[in-house]
Amino acid sequence: MAARKQRVLRLGLPKGSLQQTTERAFKLAGFDLRISGRSYYPDIDDPEIECILIRAQEMARYVQQGVLDAGITGIDWTLENRAKVKELADLRAPWPNYNPVRWVVAVKEGSKIRKPVDLEGKRIATEVVNLTKRYLRQHGVKATVEFSWGATEVKPPVLADAIVDVTETGSSLRANNLRVIDTVLESTPRFIANRESHGDDWKRQKMERIALLLQGAIAAADRVGLMMNVPKPRLEKILGLLPALGTPTISTLADESWVAINTVIAESVVTELLPRLRESGARGIVEYPLNKIVD
Amino acid sequence: MAARKQRVLRLGLPKGSLQQTTERAFKLAGFDLRISGRSYYPDIDDPEIECILIRAQEMARYVQQGVLDAGITGIDWTLENRAKVKELADLRAPWPNYNPVRWVVAVKEGSKIRKPVDLEGKRIATEVVNLTKRYLRQHGVKATVEFSWGATEVKPPVLADAIVDVTETGSSLRANNLRVIDTVLESTPRFIANRESHGDDWKRQKMERIALLLQGAIAAADRVGLMMNVPKPRLEKILGLLPALGTPTISTLADESWVAINTVIAESVVTELLPRLRESGARGIVEYPLNKIVD
Amino acid sequence: MAARKQRVLRLGLPKGSLQQTTERAFKLAGFDLRISGRSYYPDIDDPEIECILIRAQEMARYVQQGVLDAGITGIDWTLENRAKVKELADLRAPWPNYNPVRWVVAVKEGSKIRKPVDLEGKRIATEVVNLTKRYLRQHGVKATVEFSWGATEVKPPVLADAIVDVTETGSSLRANNLRVIDTVLESTPRFIANRESHGDDWKRQKMERIALLLQGAIAAADRVGLMMNVPKPRLEKILGLLPALGTPTISTLADESWVAINTVIAESVVTELLPRLRESGARGIVEYPLNKIVD
Amino acid sequence: MAARKQRVLRLGLPKGSLQQTTERAFKLAGFDLRISGRSYYPDIDDPEIECILIRAQEMARYVQQGVLDAGITGIDWTLENRAKVKELADLRAPWPNYNPVRWVVAVKEGSKIRKPVDLEGKRIATEVVNLTKRYLRQHGVKATVEFSWGATEVKPPVLADAIVDVTETGSSLRANNLRVIDTVLESTPRFIANRESHGDDWKRQKMERIALLLQGAIAAADRVGLMMNVPKPRLEKILGLLPALGTPTISTLADESWVAINTVIAESVVTELLPRLRESGARGIVEYPLNKIVD
Amino acid sequence: MAARKQRVLRLGLPKGSLQQTTERAFKLAGFDLRISGRSYYPDIDDPEIECILIRAQEMARYVQQGVLDAGITGIDWTLENRAKVKELADLRAPWPNYNPVRWVVAVKEGSKIRKPVDLEGKRIATEVVNLTKRYLRQHGVKATVEFSWGATEVKPPVLADAIVDVTETGSSLRANNLRVIDTVLESTPRFIANRESHGDDWKRQKMERIALLLQGAIAAADRVGLMMNVPKPRLEKILGLLPALGTPTISTLADESWVAINTVIAESVVTELLPRLRESGARGIVEYPLNKIVD
Amino acid sequence: MAARKQRVLRLGLPKGSLQQTTERAFKLAGFDLRISGRSYYPDIDDPEIECILIRAQEMARYVQQGVLDAGITGIDWTLENRAKVKELADLRAPWPNYNPVRWVVAVKEGSKIRKPVDLEGKRIATEVVNLTKRYLRQHGVKATVEFSWGATEVKPPVLADAIVDVTETGSSLRANNLRVIDTVLESTPRFIANRESHGDDWKRQKMERIALLLQGAIAAADRVGLMMNVPKPRLEKILGLLPALGTPTISTLADESWVAINTVIAESVVTELLPRLRESGARGIVEYPLNKIVD
């Protein structure tokens, strides 16, 4: 009888700005992932997964080629590389660099370029040459697009007339006295798969479970648990105050005139909700932290 | 029909030693407050609040003048400025710089000044000139009070005969070989309001809700949640061991000979309580962290 | 009537590699322990305990002599000192330096020394001279054992033929191109007591309670809480999926066709378990963090 | 016969922004001065000097009182304190914080305040209340002057209408979008003496020697040594190129058709001078660093 | 009479690995150059120079286009960009990143690729796509060249069969277990000029003076000054020991049986030379540091 | 004809407190020595020297055994190891850790132990067990000497009655409230040689040249160069002011009524000497830094 060979999923993790948050995301999802300073092959406590660090810019290329079964990278770089891959999950999350970013056309304050058509005949510096050319085609504009090795935001007006650059809050653009005139693309991190790998049952289930756990951690990231005791006559009213995020668990208590509510709410409504719950009769309100939510 | 204008509460946050803890307190209270390195106008995720960083020393002055509706500062600086403001909450908390501090009269070890009356005719260096003068008047003592720009604790005996300085643990005084001869004031951080703003219904409710949430976070700071299963015959005894901090929630279990207790206790009693609960028959004792408590 | 004198337990905490984790362990156990940079006498919020920082290497010596009632140190140094002490708990935990370490015999890659008997007549450098001599006696080998003041791993082949050195993951050995030929001892941190102190009722109970709390924190270190709602018909199946780590608490809900399960599981099974629970019908699955577990 | 008592000069060194440069200035002047982190009494290798760290703001006050014989502080704080002291040397130097600084009146960009008289009736925040009041009197303007505990530059326009603040390059003002409308005072660090101490022969000579050495170090700070060989016929021309900073030393060489020039020049002319010297026939031009210059 | 307009030279300084050393080189050359953290327009104390920070990769492109008159960048990037520019000076210097670097072809240890022709049909990852293609053409080899966004050295063997990467000491290659099979190019930093600017007399002279000063600082970087007194009869012999780096200055002394020698030598011969000079009769040997040497 | 084999000197450099200064000393002596973070085999630019980092405590042992030809370590550890080696130079220098240190007997303030004989029967903790036992024998005292793994200064009075510990300024002892009752040994770093290696002509000359260069750097460490112009009539007087540290070089000037003096003086006399030279007629006094002095 032959030994069963261990099957393995080759997973690309993004080196660079997404790296730290990705490491944290896998830890929150329950994996013991260790990226040591020098190695490009992080350790993970699942023998069925083999990790490799890859630049976000190159990820989609290697996933398409099949060097990797799956990977995490922004939709921007997948499109820039014109890579043909299968998207399994949008990993937008309230974490640094996992928030949506925008690629925008920007010019120096005071520039005469005010709308896309004004770019006609100009020099545009950018790290995403293909995305920019596609954008110009869509607007029927002809312009010179030069690859920028970085520090793109300081190029106008001397080294370029306009740029296509990435921004999360716009603060770097403002600091360089640039004005946004249009958005080329909004991008978030995605969990992408090689098409052939996705056709393999074992690999697809493996990838879907990883996605489920990452999404469970993301769901918990901006929510909290809330327990409280409520007098039975007020139950209806208080349930009405709670947002519809999953059904609250109502359990009976030894003192039968009260019930206990246990629920999950978005952290962003806490400052609004807590004072009202108290005013409506809830007592012993306790907010506690969560690791993961799977509904 | 006219657009409703957004009402706004102007809130002063203390720059300096209280700043870091204040930032954390607002985050624990549920606000997304961001103090960026250079700006004095922190971002907060509540459009009804406008924050501004102000030195603790100047806070009460600006709250009294009405430049601010409310602010956080120590009672010491409110008194030093002789500011007429309304106090909404004492924010004493087990956090750095939110613990009580004392302003004390201190002299060099070996000094002949041993009690308040010995200060007669001496030079006293201090950052709180008004508090010190009031203190001297209360003791019927006349002395020269000089404003100190800092490093007050190294002035005796060359540059001053005595000082009035602030201390949390006394270690800085001991390190400079100083002896405390009297306490001028014990101070904690307070949530203060402009009197006129407090008369405005919308502003008062807004301020009270902020105070409620801050106090909810403070209440959770040194408490923990405790769940355990208890055989019904032992319930009485085990309830007797639990401190009276809010009523424990007792819920019924599928196995009817046991009940589940869920409660909140002070972290400081855990090391005492846990071994006893186990000896009294509780099982599956689980301690978990809390974010906020509103009773 | 005479005043009751406060009884005190003298407890040694290990200075050096175990220190930081020990400080954290006591905090997790519920003690407010503060090791200030310069003092060797940490503050603790239990007047019945007096702490002192001692090198792990010397701990057992002072516990045996009775200078200390109890202490925390590796079993390796207790054996190296041939100290006669009572062991109360093995504190192996998933924390830095609290994982098991191994003392191994290592030689340079390519050395002709391949097994213990090849050490005959060689120079061995080590920090644990007694352990090494005992090991050589057990193998009937004669060799020169020299005390090494540190950096033992760089000594072969110039300054020593072989070394006996400590390793957790083996990475420092590999980095120095060393090959392990045998294990001398596996070691973990232990809670040890002076024998006479252990015979004293008050001291023994005090020590056992400290051990219970430390073990409660260790038990929580790699586990998490799990709550979920389950349709009654699926209860049996879902309970079958849960590992046998303590009995789950099953509580009744207002909606009688569902029950709520609350349990504690090892963090390492989460990535495996969560997808399966969902597939089996559990809903509202929430994972939350724990501080302490006492069963 | 009686022992000669050691005479001592009490010297105040400025704590704060001037401190680090002052420490360096004394070292360059030849003193072994050590300011240890915690002590306010720096060690110096001259038993006739006793150093004490004092805030620049308070220095002149203590020099006037005679607690100190001499001290280093900005002329700004001497004037703010209206202190009667004797100035021995202006220590302006090309070092951080030893460059001249300016106290300026600044307002928010766009403010209607454009010249001193526009300050009439306004609120001005400043750390130098007396200087500001004197300035207003000189301009015949009446305004409210409030003491500012710091971060003065962020106060306009909410907390103040204008400020009087210190600036070296103006960058902090620009960063806060402030516009300078007038200069109140230009200030540099000065070596000041108590008047009575200055009348004492021993103390005066001691102070003058310290000043000579500090000025020697300052003189060397932006100069360099320059050696070169010059053919005799070109000597006249090349001497004509050299700035008149002290007479160059011309020495004879073994090869009598050449002479060697050794001189000291300002570092700021090097980039201009070196290419010209070479073009004029100088060879073996060597620039070397200097420690001190006393002419 | 019309005002003379200030003429200005636009000078590109390399952002990135060459930046810090370039800043230091200009300071050593006598310029007061300040690169502040955020600005891309460094300040320089010569009103005839305007600096701008540009990536080394893009420098030659902008110099060729005439956006810049001159710039500093490696010869590698000038060739990669196929830029037509005038080279004024090779700035190779014993400073970090100013040492020569090599672009090499490297493969994984154990790879079957051993010489250039073995690259036929392989995938090569590199940051210098053009240099690599030129190299392949020269060897008559056809291969796929893929642009690498960084971390090129970790790509073999999974993501590439071979790489063309830059190395100074080879240590990063060895750490990744790569073997160098050929050198594509040795590169040093160069001072390059736009061809048209070089044709302008004022600009050319300005550029040549900057180059002279930079080379003067480089010449001083690994040399020292040496003074010594020599008995006349030993003069011949001792002069024979001195390396021929410029003629030593021999000056007469008051004591006519001795002469003084002052010379400049390479720092690398000091350890060899000093003991010999002493053995040959030189006394009062003093070695001193230099700032700049122009011969 | 056979190839000449390269001869090599094996040189031990001290790891630990002496390391950083030793690295600097070799650089000042003219060697390009590089100690990289992880390697124990520093690179040096002299192919005749092979360096190895060794703990100061073990250096003499390996020099005696002949594993090393020479090494640098304190005389304290040579004596503690009772090593038979040849001392070539005392490297005491005004650098951190190259100043003399003292091993002292210290007890807690208030201890009854006041002089050596009071140690009779006590427990002494120390890192230098042999030195301590030798010291006790010399005083005819019997006591228990226990090896201390470190932090020796905190052991009295609980863990030891007295200690023998090393101190440079005594500040650590004072901080622990210890009183020094006697000095066991004053120690400085020494350049030591294996006896047999010292008998080899090539090795001895090599070692003596290294020692000469190190001593040249040490000699320059606290001296400076001084040049000045002096009117001939004042020459005598001014020469009389100069300390006798080597003969000043007097050179003739073009202006024959002046001469130039160039000399080397101790930095410690500068503050005294400069004012006097000026008062005596010297002009153009220039102090400059030195690298090395060999007389």
Side-chain angles (χ1 to χ4, degrees), chain D residues 99 224-225 227 229 251-255 260 267-268 270-272 274-276 278-279 282-290, chain E residues 27-31 34 45-46 205-206 209 212-213 220 247-252 262 264 288-295:
Chain D
N99 285 309
V224 290
M227 296 189 290
N229 294 341
S251 53
T252 55
L253 293 178
D255 175 345
E267 200 170 6
S268 59
V270 163
T271 58
E272 199 58 33
L274 247 63
R276 287 206 197 154
R278 198 180 184 287
E279 289 156 21
R283 287 297 177 273
I285 309 172
V286 170
E287 181 198 315
Y288 60 95
L290 305 177
Chain E
K27 287 188 175 162
L28 291 174
F31 295 99
R34 293 185 195 193
D45 63 341
D46 182 333
Q205 195 197 26
K206 189 78 199 170
R209 288 184 167 190
L212 177 82
L213 291 162
T247 330
T249 301
I250 301 164
S251 54
T252 55
N262 193 355
V264 167
Y288 60 95
L290 305 177
N291 286 346
K292 229 172 270 132
I293 299 172
V294 178
D295 248 330

Side-chain angles (χ1 to χ4, degrees), chain B residues 227 229 253-254 278 285 287, chain C residues 249-250 288 291-292 294-295:
Chain B
M227 296 188 289
N229 293 340
L253 294 178
R278 194 178 188 288
I285 309 173
E287 181 199 314
Chain C
T249 302
I250 301 162
Y288 59 95
N291 287 346
K292 228 172 268 130
V294 178
D295 248 330

Side-chain angles (χ1 to χ4, degrees), chain A residues 125 147-160 163, chain E residues 58 62:
Chain A
F147 177 65
S148 170
W149 287 83
T152 312
E153 71 278 13
V154 303
K155 292 193 167 165
V158 176
L159 305 179
I163 61 172
Chain E
E58 301 175 335
Y62 291 118

Side-chain angles (χ1 to χ4, degrees), chain B residues 64-78:
Chain B
Q64 173 181 353
Q65 290 176 8
V67 179
L68 304 172
D69 292 310
I72 293 175
T73 189
I75 181 67
D76 42 8
W77 292 109
T78 299

Side-chain angles (χ1 to χ4, degrees), chain E:
Chain E
M1 205 188 88
R4 269 281 277 297
K5 211 187 133 204
Q6 170 78 65
R7 294 212 59 185
V8 162
L9 188 87
R10 280 205 156 176
L11 178 62
L13 303 181
K15 176 131 198 85
S17 67
L18 295 173
Q19 177 180 333
Q20 215 173 354
T21 298
T22 301
E23 187 175 3
R24 193 177 144 219
F26 271 80
K27 287 188 175 162
L28 291 174
F31 295 99
D32 185 8
L33 176 75
R34 293 185 195 193
I35 302 183
S36 87
R38 286 170 229 133
S39 168
Y40 277 72
Y41 295 90
D43 286 327
I44 192 164
D45 63 341
D46 182 333
E48 297 178 350
I49 305 176
E50 208 174 284
C51 295
I52 178 166
L53 286 179
I54 304 264
R55 288 258 173 172
Q57 291 96 327
E58 301 175 335
M59 183 72 72
R61 188 210 290 169
Y62 291 118
V63 170
Q64 174 182 352
Q65 290 176 6
V67 179
L68 303 172
D69 293 309
I72 292 174
T73 188
I75 182 67
D76 43 7
W77 291 110
T78 299
L79 293 174
E80 171 68 11
N81 283 290
R82 301 189 195 108
K84 290 169 188 18
V85 296
K86 170 79 186 165
E87 181 182 315
L88 292 184
D90 186 328
L91 300 178
R92 134 181 0 213
W95 295 325
N97 298 305
Y98 264 56
N99 285 309
V101 295
R102 287 184 311 137
W103 288 89
V104 297
V105 186
V107 297
K108 202 73 180 179
E109 277 296 348
S111 162
K112 288 184 177 166
I113 302 172
R114 292 220 175 69
K115 47 191 187 310
V117 296
D118 299 340
L119 295 168
E120 185 73 33
K122 303 298 182 187
R123 285 170 310 152
I124 307 176
T126 185
E127 279 183 272
V128 287
V129 170
N130 289 330
L131 282 180
T132 301
K133 286 183 173 166
R134 192 183 69 162
Y135 167 85
L136 292 172
R137 272 196 308 279
Q138 288 166 347
H139 286 78
V141 169
K142 282 192 179 136
T144 308
V145 181
E146 288 190 333
F147 177 65
S148 170
W149 287 83
T152 313
E153 72 277 13
V154 303
K155 293 194 167 163
V158 176
L159 306 179
D161 300 309
I163 61 171
V164 171
D165 204 6
V166 70
T167 182
E168 191 175 340
T169 62
S171 64
S172 166
L173 297 174
R174 276 192 302 277
N176 283 285
N177 218 15
L178 297 176
R179 190 161 39 84
V180 171
I181 64 164
D182 199 9
T183 294
V184 172
L185 181 77
E186 189 184 85
S187 177
T188 53
R190 310 289 168 97
F191 191 98
I192 57 173
N194 174 270
R195 288 181 174 181
E196 202 171 324
S197 302
H198 193 253
D200 175 296
D201 281 353
W202 182 88
K203 288 191 176 176
R204 188 178 55 253
Q205 195 197 26
K206 189 78 199 170
M207 295 190 283
E208 282 171 352
R209 288 184 167 190
I210 296 171
L212 177 82
L213 291 162
L214 287 171
Q215 288 174 314
I218 290 172
D222 49 11
R223 289 177 216 177
V224 291
L226 208 59
M227 296 189 290
M228 73 202 83
N229 294 342
V230 174
K232 276 191 180 157
R234 305 289 184 91
L235 181 58
E236 202 78 10
K237 177 170 185 198
I238 280 174
L239 289 176
L241 290 175
L242 296 176
L245 237 176
T247 330
T249 301
I250 301 164
S251 54
T252 55
L253 294 178
D255 175 344
E256 299 192 350
S257 60
W258 291 73
V259 292
I261 299 182
N262 193 355
T263 193
V264 167
I265 60 167
E267 199 171 6
S268 59
V269 306
V270 163
T271 58
E272 198 57 33
L273 188 61
L274 248 63
R276 287 206 197 155
L277 288 172
R278 195 178 187 288
E279 289 156 19
S280 305
R283 287 297 178 274
I285 309 173
V286 170
E287 182 198 314
Y288 60 95
L290 305 177
N291 286 346
K292 229 172 270 132
I293 299 172
V294 178
D295 248 330

Side-chain angles (χ1 to χ4, degrees), chain B residues 183-220:
Chain B
T183 293
V184 172
L185 182 76
E186 190 184 87
S187 177
T188 53
R190 310 289 168 98
F191 191 98
I192 57 173
N194 174 272
R195 289 181 173 181
E196 202 169 325
S197 302
H198 192 255
D200 175 298
D201 280 354
W202 182 89
K203 289 191 175 176
R204 188 179 54 253
Q205 193 196 28
K206 188 78 198 168
M207 295 190 281
E208 280 171 352
R209 288 185 167 189
I210 296 170
L212 176 82
L213 291 163
L214 287 171
Q215 288 174 314
I218 289 172

Side-chain angles (χ1 to χ4, degrees), chain A residues 27-31 45 205 209 212-213 247-252 262 264 288-295, chain C residues 224 227 229 251-255 260 267-268 270-272 274-276 278-279 283-289:
Chain A
K27 286 189 175 162
L28 292 173
F31 294 99
D45 63 340
Q205 193 195 27
R209 287 184 168 191
L212 175 83
L213 291 163
T247 329
T249 302
I250 301 162
S251 52
T252 54
N262 193 356
V264 167
Y288 60 95
L290 305 177
N291 287 347
K292 227 172 270 129
I293 301 172
V294 178
D295 247 331
Chain C
V224 291
M227 296 189 289
N229 293 340
S251 52
T252 56
L253 294 178
D255 174 345
E267 198 170 6
S268 59
V270 164
T271 59
E272 200 56 34
L274 248 62
R276 288 206 196 154
R278 196 179 185 287
E279 289 157 20
R283 286 298 176 271
I285 308 173
V286 170
E287 181 197 316
Y288 59 95

